[in-house]
Amino acid sequence: MNFSSCDRISQKDIEAIAASLNQMWGPQCSETDSSSFKKAASYFGKAYLYHNLSQCSIVRVFHADEKTAGIFCVRLLDAKSFHPLYRIKSIFYLLPMLLNKRTRIYLGGWKKYYRNCHLQEKKLPSFYRAELKLLFTLQDFRGQGLGKIMLSEMKTLLKEKNGAFYFLHTDTECNYKFYDASGLVLLDKLSFGIPSDPNYCKYMYGEAPL
């Protein structure tokens, strides 16, 4: 399958990516759940996506057959990237989740995740100056090599920008072994429980220095 990329994200892309993020990582709902919980849970994908977009200098969206296939977002540590509109939108979708007890508990796990991200980053060697905030392939396009294509394009863009080495955070709820297969090195590992998984682990990977 042929994939194309662009540096602009459309509303159609946002809807598709957010829906897939919700399905993968959002609070899971059942038919017996209250309508208020279902509505609050449905906002996760957009809150998470806009949060990442608000911090990143490099964004690429990938398409195939005119459909949204994947996205990556990169934060450059040497650049003060802040996109107010994306930040406002992130807060807009986050607030209803904070007002619902069940989704607020769910967000507690993410708060713990980000707190540990900051702790891990303090251990980073100084040559890691870029963070891969989001690398995501939509369900219909998995298993077709898009992840490797996105990593390759991202490394090319970083070399053009500042030649920075990059790092990333991931966990047991993601396909973290993809990064082992892609030649990245495991920089740190933390084990701690979250509401959905008492055996949860998070990892920090980095591009291997030459």
Side-chain angles (χ1 to χ4, degrees):
M1 182 171 289
N2 294 322
F3 296 100
S4 61
S5 68
C6 66
D7 59 2
R8 293 187 178 184
I9 183 166
S10 68
Q11 189 60 39
K12 181 180 177 182
D13 294 325
I14 286 171
E15 296 294 339
I17 295 165
S20 193
L21 286 168
N22 233 50
Q23 185 179 17
M24 285 291 296
W25 299 331
Q28 299 303 301
C29 302
S30 68
E31 292 183 1
T32 57
D33 287 325
S34 66
S35 59
S36 59
F37 169 67
K38 290 178 182 178
K39 187 173 182 178
S42 70
Y43 292 136
F44 170 81
K46 286 184 179 178
Y48 181 78
L49 178 57
Y50 281 125
H51 171 75
N52 283 289
L53 291 173
S54 71
Q55 301 178 52
C56 292
S57 302
I58 301 174
V59 177
R60 288 293 183 277
V61 182
F62 288 74
H63 300 92
D65 297 331
E66 300 184 355
K67 295 180 180 179
T68 310
I71 185 175
F72 70 74
C73 306
V74 179
R75 176 175 70 100
L76 300 177
L77 274 61
D78 296 325
K80 293 182 180 180
S81 299
F82 180 69
H83 303 279
L85 181 58
Y86 287 147
R87 182 60 177 160
I88 291 169
K89 288 185 176 182
S90 174
I91 294 170
F92 175 82
Y93 289 107
L94 184 63
L95 282 176
M97 297 186 71
L98 291 172
L99 294 173
N100 181 277
K101 182 178 179 180
R102 286 182 62 187
T103 49
R104 187 166 63 248
I105 292 171
Y106 180 82
L107 289 173
W110 282 93
K111 183 178 180 180
K112 195 171 184 179
Y113 174 91
Y114 283 117
R115 184 167 62 244
N116 281 288
C117 286
H118 294 312
L119 292 174
Q120 287 181 308
E121 287 173 25
K122 291 180 179 180
K123 306 174 186 178
L124 275 173
S126 59
F127 53 78
Y128 286 109
R129 306 306 303 161
E131 179 189 2
L132 177 57
K133 291 287 292 181
L134 178 63
L135 178 75
F136 188 72
T137 302
L138 277 72
Q139 184 69 41
D140 291 345
F141 300 95
R142 290 179 188 152
Q144 300 180 48
L146 180 54
K148 291 182 178 179
I149 292 171
M150 290 195 287
L151 273 186
S152 177
E153 183 163 329
M154 183 203 66
K155 288 192 286 186
T156 299
L157 289 169
L158 283 178
K159 287 179 181 178
E160 293 173 355
K161 289 276 185 183
N162 59 5
F165 288 96
Y166 70 93
F167 68 96
L168 62 94
H169 296 280
T170 187
D171 57 28
T172 47
E173 295 186 352
C174 302
N175 181 20
Y176 64 91
K177 292 185 178 180
F178 166 77
Y179 299 110
D180 290 314
S182 298
L184 277 73
V185 294
L186 180 62
L187 301 174
D188 196 34
K189 175 183 176 180
L190 288 174
S191 299
F192 56 90
I194 59 173
S196 60
D197 184 2
N199 300 312
Y200 175 89
C201 293
K202 80 169 296 297
Y203 309 94
M204 183 168 64
Y205 281 88
E207 184 180 10
L210 298 176

